[in-house]
Amino acid sequence: MEIPSKYDPKRVEEYWYAYWSEHKYFSSKPDEREPYTIVIPPPNVTGVLHMGHMLNNTIQDVLIRRARLLGKNACWVPGMDHASIATEAKVVAKLKAEGIDKSKLSRDEFLKHAWDWTNEYGGVILQQLKKLGCSCDWDRTKFTMDDDMSASVIKVFVDLYNKGLIYRGYRMVNWDPEAKTTLSDEEVIYEERQGNLYYLSYDIEGSDEKVTIATTRPETILGDTAICINPNDERYRHLRGKKAIVPICDRVIPIIEDEYVDVEFGTGCLKVTPAHDENDKNLGEKHNLEVVDIFNEDATLNSFGLHYEGKDRFVVRKEISKELEEKGYLVKTEQHINKVGTSERTKAVIEPRLSDQWFLKMENLAKPALEGVLETKDVKLYPSKFDNTYRHWMENIRDWNISRQLWWGQQIPAYYYGDGKEDFVVAETPEEALKLAQSKNPDIQQSDLRQDSDVLDTWFSSWLWPISVFGGILEPDNDEVNYYYPTSDLVTGPDILFFWVARMIMAGYEYRGERPFENVYLTGLVRDKQRRKMSKSLGNSPDALKLIEDFGADGVRVGLLLSSAAGNDLLFDEVLCQQGANFANKIWNAFRLVKGWEVADFPQPEAAQKGVEWYKAKFNQTLVEIEDHFSKYRISDALMATYKLVWDDFCSWLLEIIKPEYQKPIDQKTYNEVLGLFEENLKLLHPFMPFLTEEVWQHIADRSPEEALIVSQWPKAQEVDAALIADFDFASEIISGVRTIRKEKNIPQKDALELFMLNTEGISSQMDAIILKLGNLSKMETIDSSLDGALTFRVKSNEYFIPMSGAIDVEAEIAKITEELNYTKGFLKSVEKKLSNERFVSNAPEKVVAMERKKAADAEAKIETLEKSLASLK
């Protein structure tokens, strides 16, 4: 194949992704190999690719491609989450735009619209992941609303109900008035907001007395059913047993006593609204108070709101505070910061609401999951700093509200057969429900059964994901789940550590008796370079597909990983994608350079032989380092080590060492060895840059599908020759010293120089051929004493001389060295002054003092060299 002059990511990506798909390299079936399994965190079916997905899925693909190269049976299961709240909101908005009101539709009619929308618009994100190079087993794609996935959810609900872990309760719940559904505690985000504290005056019945209470929500006075005072508060002792009159609605309410009241907050008097506050509800139950709910499901006021009926709660807050002021009930207003609960999904302010809901008891489910992560380390979190977050959540776990007032999702399998709240049965099918109901009342017919209209929380399906994608709930002993489960690694964000990760661990121990995965890699959140979270509203979230178009998928993958460390927020900058694209071009150009050389049959030069030996040692040393990074899930560090190996050691050093002279050929042995080393580099690079590496690999030689890079073999680390690496490091410093002098004196590379060395004791001569070639030296000799009329440099304790005979302006050189000498002497003086200060030496950390002493020693050595250079020029 002809090698194009420029690397064309678009052409290469389309070609190789189609090739990989055609040859089923991503496909996995149980066999005798060790499985390596990842289940994708299923993105919302409504989702499109954003920076968080790009990072998360790049990391997963790196891990899966490396596992494939390691010879494991790599299985990456893709899929999507039905996302009840988000999807229902999208469908309702679409219907509204078409002039259709959801409330006018039957459940079945609405679900038809929802499935039509899902089939038309859903799953875009999975196609976009292919552009990124994700090597998922697409034949295994699952959706949380697939028939078998839904059947798994229903089966688990029935099982947990029968175990006494699921119950129906009348509780104060978090109500999202925009989505018109309840939320679990974990789906509520608390924000500090500036509000007001309103001081309101209530008349005492049958007297001229008044009592003042403070509230942040004056609109809720219409639901007040008591005023509460602390029995130990002397100020209000005279109000015992009396009644107050609620302003505007004139409801007469009792004044009750309870030590719950904080005498320090506000006025020390508390208005009690049992329908709209968790603590007030508890007081209401304790004191047998009336419950007056003033809100509709969309947080507008109902008939108890009197003349405010139909108006939004925040509109009413403004209007009622004005009316209270006009009528003389508003005593004063103060600014007040309080924590407001908002919906994680819709951002609406949450309304506490009393409602019949389904709950799952969590305490016993949490115990093995807590132990598995923190005690037995059966599941390991990376980075481990998240262990404490996990512990806090699991030790303070509350029962999970699993019902949602939506239609899109798995409908709760509870069937009512009477008017009482307890007249229901729970079963997997209507037929089974009928049998259960008839055991209580033989006259019941199928038509008498009414299924609960709520659906289950989306997380109640995704907590089963690592089991249900392999059919492990419906068929607990099938071949697939026995082979692939527990899975190997999970890559996700710390923001869903409790929502999803902890719950999957609980489900794993409950339904398989073992962990769902071994390692959890928690990525950071993607932020912009100003540390702001990426968001549409800030306009700082780049178009993921546009980035791939501009920089190539490999460039974007490298850019993301260069800015990402486990668990630390990623500060994304497009410049890093440019760096990734530049790296791809560097590799491409290096390949073209090597393939462009003419090859001839003659003995291998010594420099090339030593260069190849050194690079093999360096490769093995870096491979050990890369393996260590992967074992600790330091994926970015593994990439950086690979990047430096290829860019610095291979391209900048080895190719320079072996490069033939202008218009001359390279020997066959070196050429073959360098192509072999190039192939080893490609194996290390492939998980990070799959497209470019496959393209170069296939250009190196004609390959059969079985010989494709994607299914080749990860390099095996050999013994590292540390002495050889150390010798080269020393030689490279000598070469850099020569190059620096050439640069400073404007001496062309083509002009050969001589190099004389003083004090070469203990220095190996095995790299001399490389030094001669890269320094373009006509000779290298050892001398016993300093050389006059020469420029000098030092490498460690050794001194090197380059005679200058007429090559430089001596006067200018003397002036330059004198200036540098004076600066270095001044620097040494300041360091010595610090070291002569007894307080500094006694109190500063040992490391700091040692560093200052090293600075002094280095400065003294430099002064000695500069003075010798000066003397040799005079």
Side-chain angles (χ1 to χ4, degrees):
M1 288 189 286
E2 190 186 333
I3 304 167
S5 59
K6 283 192 174 163
Y7 177 61
D8 177 3
K10 191 171 188 300
R11 178 193 64 79
V12 167
E13 287 161 18
E14 285 175 3
Y15 181 83
W16 289 115
Y17 203 89
Y19 181 88
W20 293 329
S21 301
E22 182 194 337
H23 290 97
K24 299 281 184 187
Y25 296 122
F26 307 159
S27 180
S28 173
K29 288 184 173 55
D31 60 25
E32 71 291 340
R33 289 175 295 167
E34 178 192 343
Y36 175 85
T37 318
I38 293 181
V39 291
I40 201 170
N44 287 354
V45 69
T46 57
V48 290
L49 199 62
H50 61 57
M51 299 309 291
H53 294 132
M54 296 265 276
L55 170 66
N56 185 290
N57 288 285
T58 294
I59 291 167
Q60 289 176 82
D61 197 46
V62 167
L63 295 172
I64 212 87
R65 285 180 183 273
R66 179 168 172 269
R68 211 176 273 126
L69 290 170
L70 285 165
K72 296 178 184 178
N73 188 350
C75 178
W76 183 9
V77 181
M80 292 175 298
D81 190 283
H82 65 274
S84 294
I85 296 175
T87 307
E88 188 144 328
K90 292 259 188 193
V91 176
V92 168
K94 179 178 180 286
L95 291 172
K96 195 174 179 182
E98 294 168 3
I100 302 169
D101 184 347
K102 178 195 169 187
S103 62
K104 301 281 194 298
L105 297 174
S106 70
R107 186 183 197 113
D108 287 343
E109 286 169 338
F110 177 80
L111 287 176
K112 185 181 182 308
H113 283 288
W115 276 110
D116 288 347
W117 186 93
T118 300
N119 293 330
E120 187 174 348
Y121 300 104
V124 169
I125 192 164
L126 297 186
Q127 298 309 312
Q128 293 174 329
L129 287 176
K130 293 178 182 179
K131 299 267 187 204
L132 190 62
C134 293
S135 56
C136 304
D137 184 348
W138 298 109
D139 295 335
R140 291 183 173 274
T141 304
K142 300 301 284 184
F143 179 41
T144 50
M145 285 280 280
D146 286 346
D147 290 347
D148 60 327
M149 301 294 275
S150 288
S152 299
V153 172
I154 299 305
K155 189 179 180 72
V156 164
F157 182 97
V158 173
D159 176 64
L160 292 170
Y161 176 79
N162 291 335
K163 287 173 178 170
L165 293 176
I166 285 180
Y167 64 93
R168 187 160 170 76
Y170 188 63
R171 299 277 188 280
M172 181 70 73
V173 293
N174 307 300
W175 182 261
D176 180 337
E178 192 170 313
K180 299 187 181 64
T181 182
T182 58
L183 301 178
S184 66
D185 293 334
E186 294 74 35
E187 291 168 294
V188 179
I189 310 297
Y190 287 91
E191 299 172 2
E192 283 201 341
R193 290 196 182 177
Q194 179 75 56
N196 290 321
L197 197 56
Y198 301 85
Y199 287 80
L200 306 179
S201 172
Y202 287 58
D203 293 334
I204 301 299
E205 188 186 40
S207 76
D208 295 333
E209 283 184 280
K210 294 180 187 297
V211 65
T212 303
I213 60 98
T215 180
T216 56
R217 304 191 62 193
E219 69 279 12
T220 62
I221 64 167
L222 302 173
D224 287 357
T225 57
I227 281 177
C228 192
I229 56 175
N230 191 309
N232 305 314
D233 193 338
E234 297 289 336
R235 295 172 298 173
Y236 300 115
R237 193 159 278 188
H238 64 287
L239 294 179
R240 280 180 178 174
K242 295 189 178 180
K243 292 186 176 180
I245 301 167
V246 180
I248 299 176
C249 70
D250 295 334
R251 184 184 300 122
V252 177
I253 56 174
I255 295 173
I256 61 172
E257 297 176 77
D258 201 289
E259 289 188 347
Y260 164 75
V261 178
D262 181 359
V263 295
E264 302 293 327
F265 180 76
T267 64
C269 262
L270 181 76
K271 66 191 266 323
V272 185
T273 321
H276 301 296
D277 181 273
E278 176 79 34
N279 297 313
D280 288 12
K281 170 189 165 281
N282 296 336
L283 276 174
E285 286 174 352
K286 186 175 174 183
H287 296 275
N288 203 24
L289 298 176
E290 185 187 357
V291 176
V292 177
D293 184 348
I294 66 166
F295 289 123
N296 295 313
E297 62 175 14
D298 62 353
T300 56
L301 274 70
N302 60 24
S303 59
F304 285 110
L306 306 175
H307 45 289
Y308 294 111
E309 184 176 0
K311 291 187 175 180
D312 180 76
R313 56 189 163 159
F314 296 118
V315 171
V316 175
R317 185 172 301 176
K318 284 181 184 172
E319 292 182 2
I320 203 167
S321 57
K322 198 174 177 188
E323 183 181 351
L324 288 163
E325 186 177 18
E326 286 167 357
K327 292 184 173 174
Y329 293 116
L330 183 62
V331 178
K332 63 175 179 175
T333 307
E334 291 176 353
Q335 284 202 330
H336 177 70
I337 292 174
N338 63 332
K339 280 195 170 180
V340 175
T342 60
S343 166
E344 186 239 359
R345 181 61 59 193
T346 66
K347 313 302 178 206
V349 173
I350 292 303
E351 198 57 61
R353 193 178 197 209
L354 280 167
S355 175
D356 279 310
Q357 300 290 335
W358 293 90
F359 294 88
L360 174 59
K361 294 177 184 175
M362 300 302 285
E363 193 180 349
N364 291 335
L365 289 172
K367 281 175 186 167
L370 185 63
E371 192 180 289
V373 172
L374 300 174
E375 290 174 30
T376 63
K377 296 290 180 186
D378 206 19
V379 178
K380 290 177 276 299
L381 305 183
Y382 292 88
S384 57
K385 67 178 183 181
F386 288 107
D387 283 0
N388 289 334
T389 312
Y390 184 86
R391 179 189 298 279
H392 175 76
W393 274 333
M394 298 298 273
E395 287 180 348
N396 295 281
I397 201 161
R398 294 172 65 176
D399 287 357
W400 177 10
N401 171 8
I402 55 174
S403 46
R404 298 290 178 270
Q405 288 62 55
L406 301 165
W407 280 350
W408 177 244
Q410 284 92 14
Q411 192 171 352
I412 288 174
Y415 297 82
Y416 298 89
Y417 56 84
D419 298 328
K421 277 189 178 181
E422 300 305 314
D423 293 344
F424 67 84
V425 292
V426 169
E428 288 182 44
T429 64
E431 293 74 27
E432 286 173 34
L434 181 62
K435 283 181 193 170
L436 286 172
Q438 285 175 338
S439 70
K440 301 185 180 197
N441 179 350
D443 298 332
I444 290 172
Q445 302 298 310
Q446 195 79 56
S447 56
D448 298 326
L449 295 182
R450 201 171 28 83
Q451 189 174 352
D452 195 304
S453 60
D454 287 356
V455 297
L456 285 155
D457 180 7
T458 304
W459 296 108
F460 194 83
S461 57
S462 50
W463 79 319
L464 305 173
W465 187 248
I467 308 172
S468 57
V469 294
F470 299 116
I473 297 293
L474 300 180
E475 295 178 72
D477 200 31
N478 78 71
D479 292 344
E480 292 246 320
V481 79
N482 286 339
Y483 179 75
Y484 291 114
Y485 187 97
T487 67
S488 309
D489 295 327
L490 180 79
V491 182
T492 189
D495 50 332
I496 54 172
L497 178 56
F498 186 79
F499 282 138
W500 191 46
V501 180
R503 287 171 177 165
M504 282 191 288
I505 296 171
M506 290 185 245
Y509 285 117
E510 179 68 15
Y511 284 101
R512 299 292 302 172
E514 58 183 330
R515 66 190 179 197
F517 27 71
E518 186 176 352
N519 306 293
V520 181
Y521 177 102
L522 296 155
T523 65
L525 294 173
V526 184
R527 298 182 181 274
D528 65 15
K529 54 189 174 184
Q530 296 171 45
R531 296 186 177 272
R532 299 176 305 174
K533 194 173 175 182
M534 295 275 184
S535 71
K536 282 182 191 169
S537 56
L538 285 173
N540 63 346
S541 185
D543 178 336
L545 293 180
K546 180 83 168 61
L547 286 175
I548 291 173
E549 199 179 302
D550 292 346
F551 302 107
D554 291 334
V556 174
R557 287 164 70 114
V558 169
L560 280 163
L561 290 174
L562 286 177
S563 50
S564 165
N568 293 325
D569 288 349
L570 177 155
L571 302 183
F572 180 76
D573 189 343
E574 279 190 26
V575 170
L576 293 161
C577 292
Q578 184 61 61
Q579 189 180 341
N582 293 347
F583 187 37
N585 288 330
K586 178 83 171 176
I587 295 162
W588 184 254
N589 291 334
F591 172 63
R592 288 188 67 249
L593 174 73
V594 173
K595 287 295 265 187
W597 289 332
E598 187 188 334
V599 185
D601 193 10
F602 60 89
Q604 185 177 38
E606 188 189 349
Q609 181 205 334
K610 285 295 168 195
V612 168
E613 280 176 16
W614 159 75
Y615 187 76
K616 284 177 179 173
K618 187 69 182 176
F619 181 93
N620 280 313
Q621 183 188 55
T622 309
L623 180 55
V624 170
E625 185 190 334
I626 290 166
E627 299 280 17
D628 182 56
H629 289 319
F630 270 116
S631 74
K632 292 165 181 164
Y633 292 82
R634 295 196 300 243
I635 314 295
S636 299
D637 293 341
L639 169 61
M640 189 45 81
T642 312
Y643 182 98
K644 286 177 177 170
L645 175 76
V646 174
W647 189 296
D648 298 340
D649 300 317
F650 187 79
C651 296
S652 300
W653 283 111
L654 180 64
L655 293 188
E656 286 298 312
I657 292 167
I658 60 137
K659 188 165 70 175
E661 287 181 48
Y662 182 61
Q663 290 192 332
K664 289 193 177 174
I666 187 170
D667 69 283
Q668 187 75 53
K669 185 167 191 249
T670 303
Y671 180 77
N672 292 344
E673 285 181 324
V674 164
L675 277 183
L677 292 171
F678 214 132
E679 288 184 337
E680 294 300 289
N681 289 343
L682 293 175
K683 291 173 185 178
L684 293 187
L685 283 163
H686 179 74
F688 303 106
M689 307 176 82
F691 294 110
L692 166 83
T693 52
E694 189 74 76
E695 174 80 356
V696 174
W697 177 268
Q698 300 280 356
H699 270 295
I700 287 176
D702 288 334
R703 321 260 189 188
S704 68
E706 294 73 37
E707 295 169 320
L709 176 59
I710 188 173
V711 287
S712 65
Q713 227 175 358
W714 184 258
K716 286 187 170 57
Q718 311 294 322
E719 201 173 324
V720 176
D721 188 340
L724 187 63
I725 293 168
D727 283 349
F728 182 84
D729 289 346
F730 197 92
S732 69
E733 286 191 57
I734 298 169
I735 295 161
S736 297
V738 173
R739 286 174 171 174
T740 301
I741 282 176
R742 281 187 182 278
K743 190 179 174 188
E744 286 178 354
K745 310 305 172 216
N746 293 317
I747 303 167
Q749 178 65 22
K750 63 180 172 56
D751 294 355
L753 298 173
E754 296 177 346
L755 182 68
F756 295 92
M757 299 161 285
L758 185 64
N759 181 23
T760 57
E761 206 175 315
I763 300 300
S764 165
S765 61
Q766 69 169 330
M767 294 294 167
D768 286 2
I770 291 174
I771 298 169
L772 282 164
K773 180 175 181 179
L774 296 189
N776 190 16
L777 304 174
S778 56
K779 71 173 175 182
M780 277 172 69
E781 281 181 18
T782 302
I783 51 176
D784 299 326
S785 58
S786 299
L787 197 67
D788 291 341
L791 291 171
T792 67
F793 63 89
R794 294 182 81 94
V795 176
K796 298 191 168 58
S797 60
N798 302 303
E799 203 165 349
Y800 296 83
F801 299 86
I802 298 176
M804 281 293 100
S805 52
I808 60 160
D809 180 341
V810 176
E811 292 304 316
E813 192 59 29
I814 288 171
K816 189 175 174 185
I817 292 172
T818 304
E819 185 184 349
E820 194 176 351
L821 182 63
N822 291 337
Y823 170 81
T824 309
K825 282 179 175 176
F827 176 75
L828 177 61
K829 205 172 181 181
S830 70
V831 175
E832 284 174 336
K833 189 177 177 186
K834 201 183 275 188
L835 288 169
S836 65
N837 181 336
E838 278 184 36
R839 276 183 65 192
F840 169 75
V841 176
S842 308
N843 298 327
E846 210 173 297
K847 268 187 183 175
V848 174
V849 176
M851 200 181 287
E852 293 301 317
R853 288 195 172 121
K854 186 177 184 309
K855 282 182 192 173
D858 289 347
E860 284 166 353
K862 191 172 180 182
I863 288 166
E864 187 188 344
T865 302
L866 291 169
E867 283 175 340
K868 282 181 181 173
S869 294
L870 209 52
S872 70
L873 289 169
K874 285 180 179 174

